[in-house]
Amino acid sequence: MANQRNQDNLAALRTALEGVETFYVVNYQGLTAGQLTRLRKELVGKGGRLIVAKNTLVNIALKDADRDFSDILHGPTAVVVASEDPAGTAKVLADFAKTNDKGIPAAKGGLLEGKRIDVKTIEKLANLGSKEQLQAELVGVLSSHLSNFVGILEAYKDKLEAQSA
């Protein structure tokens, strides 16, 4: 029978991953305790969470949710849950990796809105920018087109008024 500590950790891990649709599996080997603390704080700022657990426990917790990541669960592995802003969380990981010469944390794979993704997809997400930035760009594009549309309607109204006079 598994020891009580592992059973408790597995229960906590299952709870933490319950209902999660987006997470990244990363290698954190080589980060100091201070760096891990700083990374955790930055992730929390984007609605993320760093979970460090034994690969066996992570594998069991994921398989219980019909998610098989056993092929990438080797070596020191952490799970980064992205509950609010998947792109912002990926950007935090990428930016943090640039602060050290080893490129850590290094993504191994993940899950985005329930679909498994590879490292290249995580890198693309990191380059997108945060959710707020994307929303601001969308609002800018929409307001520009709406302004043009209003201008066209005003010109058409003026033309109709001129014809009726």
Side-chain angles (χ1 to χ4, degrees):
M1 183 170 171
N3 69 39
Q4 188 61 41
R5 187 171 133 199
N6 281 345
Q7 289 177 359
D8 294 342
N9 288 342
L10 180 58
L13 193 54
R14 283 180 176 143
T15 302
L17 294 175
E18 186 177 331
V20 171
E21 292 296 316
T22 302
F23 64 82
Y24 310 114
V25 179
V26 299
N27 174 10
Y28 68 93
Q29 184 177 19
L31 294 179
T32 65
Q35 289 173 319
L36 269 175
T37 301
R38 198 170 81 238
L39 177 59
R40 285 179 199 269
K41 286 180 182 177
E42 289 181 25
L43 288 169
V44 167
K46 289 292 181 184
R49 181 175 171 205
L50 179 77
I51 302 170
V52 176
K54 291 181 178 179
N55 288 342
T56 305
L57 298 179
V58 172
N59 194 29
I60 292 170
L62 291 175
K63 280 189 176 180
D64 288 348
D66 292 326
R67 299 171 176 162
D68 185 16
F69 283 81
S70 57
D71 59 322
I72 60 173
L73 290 174
H74 53 285
T77 303
V79 177
V80 177
V81 176
S83 55
E84 293 176 19
D85 184 4
T89 302
K91 185 162 181 57
V92 167
L93 291 171
D95 289 346
F96 199 88
K98 292 175 187 173
T99 65
N100 60 67
D101 57 345
K102 297 177 185 175
I104 299 170
K108 296 180 177 184
L111 194 75
L112 179 63
E113 296 180 356
K115 296 188 181 188
R116 188 164 174 168
I117 57 173
D118 60 4
V119 175
K120 289 184 180 186
T121 305
I122 296 171
E123 290 170 357
K124 287 178 185 176
L125 275 173
N127 291 329
L128 278 179
S130 71
K131 188 175 184 178
E132 293 83 18
Q133 290 171 326
L134 294 174
Q135 288 172 337
E137 287 179 24
L138 178 62
V139 168
V141 168
L142 290 176
S143 66
S144 169
H145 289 294
L146 286 175
S147 176
N148 289 342
F149 184 65
V150 169
I152 291 170
L153 290 176
E154 287 290 327
Y156 190 68
K157 180 186 121 190
D158 292 343
K159 180 181 175 184
L160 290 175
E161 287 175 353
Q163 285 178 351
S164 66

